Amino acid sequence: MFKIIEKRQLSADVFYFKVEAPNIARNRKAGQFVLVQLNLDYGERVPLTIADANAEEGWVVLVFQAVGATTYKLSLLNVGDEIGAILGPLGNPSIVEKQDKPVVIMGGGIGVAPCYPIVQAHKEIGNKVIVIIGARTKDLLIFVDEMKAIADDVIIMTDDGSAGRKGVITVPLDEMCKSQTPPAEVIAIGPPIMMKFACKTTEPYKIPTTVSLNTIMIDGTGMCGGCRVSVGGETKFVCVDGPEFDGHKVDFDNMMMRMKAFKPQETEAFHKCKMQAQADALAK
């Protein structure tokens, strides 16, 4: 069992959990993820990227959005409660190499949280890191202070202009690609459509662009095939071949279509879960 030792609500439906997990904390590397199962005996497994960790103190940070039945149930837990199972670290770590030019790391929405350990890893080897954070509005921005504490520069973009610059996250990226010192590489994490257009922005400039994918996942071992994606015309499995891939080779349209496969069932389960939780609260 994995005890929750800190809980914070970062925005309307985004939560920050610090969880006791000493073995995972000791072994995890930037870019890796875990599978979370609320109950040992039943329930789905949810892939969550490790947003931070401390090997000495034995904890990891999980940041998630309550958009489905399981993540909603997870959001109802409090400090002192225990999570049934956390499996990991899984997936391949980020490839972090010394660069002569800036590394741009961009996160959209909740995708900012898994960018954090990657920024840490690049700063540890001496790279200059520029972080671009995007959200629909200022109330949905997360990890801004954490990024400002370690990155060389942080650019904030909001769709409505309520914080930072008004516009989409690819605007400053395109400006940097056109500049006299374009990025050595770009790492993008966020909604699939955001990652797709980040890759379209960098492709004409031939700037290496890595994306971290979070697809439908069941067992995390590559056996179920649920997380398969097409990369460069080849079938890859996000759980064992990823989660990071060359963004210029990912078939985002096919991936987005597959991610909608169970949307009606997910929506129905989510609403039933919320209604049950509300009924339980009234019963008390």
Side-chain angles (χ1 to χ4, degrees):
M1 303 292 275
F2 299 82
K3 184 183 291 186
I4 300 166
I5 56 177
E6 183 181 341
K7 176 184 179 181
R8 283 191 268 148
Q9 188 163 352
L10 303 183
S11 66
D13 55 4
V14 176
F15 295 84
Y16 170 112
F17 278 9
K18 184 182 286 185
V19 183
E20 288 182 349
N23 290 335
I24 297 173
R26 280 194 299 269
N27 293 289
R28 69 93 203 195
K29 291 182 174 62
Q32 292 186 297
F33 68 96
V34 294
L35 284 177
V36 175
Q37 187 170 336
L38 287 179
N39 190 295
L40 277 172
D41 299 320
Y42 61 89
E44 69 173 337
R45 293 175 172 180
V46 179
L48 299 176
T49 308
I50 302 167
D52 199 3
N54 186 302
E56 292 182 2
E57 297 180 9
W59 51 258
V60 298
V61 168
L62 306 176
V63 176
F64 63 94
Q65 189 170 14
V67 293
T70 298
T71 47
Y72 180 73
K73 290 176 184 176
L74 186 62
S75 73
L76 298 178
L77 299 181
N78 292 301
V79 172
D81 291 336
E82 294 182 331
I83 298 170
I86 301 179
L87 176 65
L90 299 172
N92 296 302
S94 301
I95 297 173
V96 181
E97 298 174 333
K98 188 73 177 73
Q99 302 288 2
D100 295 329
K101 295 179 181 179
V103 175
V104 173
I105 300 177
M106 53 195 303
I110 194 172
V112 179
C115 288
Y116 183 63
I118 301 174
V119 174
Q120 288 177 315
H122 278 276
K123 289 306 300 176
E124 284 173 2
I125 65 169
N127 284 336
K128 179 180 180 180
V129 178
I130 300 172
V131 173
I132 309 175
I133 298 176
R136 293 196 307 274
T137 181
K138 67 177 182 179
D139 294 332
L140 300 178
L141 290 167
I142 65 171
F143 271 64
V144 173
D145 292 338
E146 289 88 343
M147 291 299 194
K148 286 183 176 180
I150 59 172
D152 294 280
D153 190 17
V154 177
I155 300 169
I156 305 296
M157 301 294 296
T158 51
D159 293 352
D160 61 1
S162 55
R165 293 173 57 183
K166 181 177 181 179
V168 294
I169 200 168
T170 52
V171 172
L173 176 64
D174 187 56
E175 293 170 351
M176 283 185 270
C177 291
K178 292 176 179 175
S179 72
Q180 292 183 340
T181 54
E185 64 173 309
V186 173
I187 299 158
I189 307 178
I193 193 69
M194 165 253 167
M195 293 189 287
K196 174 183 175 179
F197 281 98
C199 295
K200 284 185 173 294
T201 301
T202 59
E203 194 166 17
Y205 305 98
K206 295 180 170 46
I207 296 173
T209 304
T210 300
V211 295
S212 180
L213 306 183
N214 189 357
T215 54
I216 294 170
M217 197 175 295
I218 299 172
D219 61 14
T221 66
M223 295 183 68
C224 75
C227 66
R228 66 184 181 273
V229 290
S230 178
V231 181
E234 297 181 359
T235 297
K236 300 290 184 179
F237 300 102
V238 172
C239 63
V240 292
D241 297 318
E244 296 184 355
F245 296 95
D246 180 343
H248 296 150
K249 295 181 179 180
V250 174
D251 185 339
F252 284 101
D253 292 336
N254 179 266
M255 185 185 82
M256 288 187 282
M257 180 186 69
R258 283 183 49 78
M259 290 179 70
K260 295 177 182 178
F262 302 104
K263 198 66 178 176
Q265 293 90 338
E266 290 171 350
T267 301
E268 181 182 358
F270 179 50
H271 289 310
K272 283 183 177 178
C273 182
K274 288 191 73 172
M275 290 176 63
Q276 185 60 54
Q278 291 167 0
D280 291 344
L282 289 172
K284 293 179 179 179

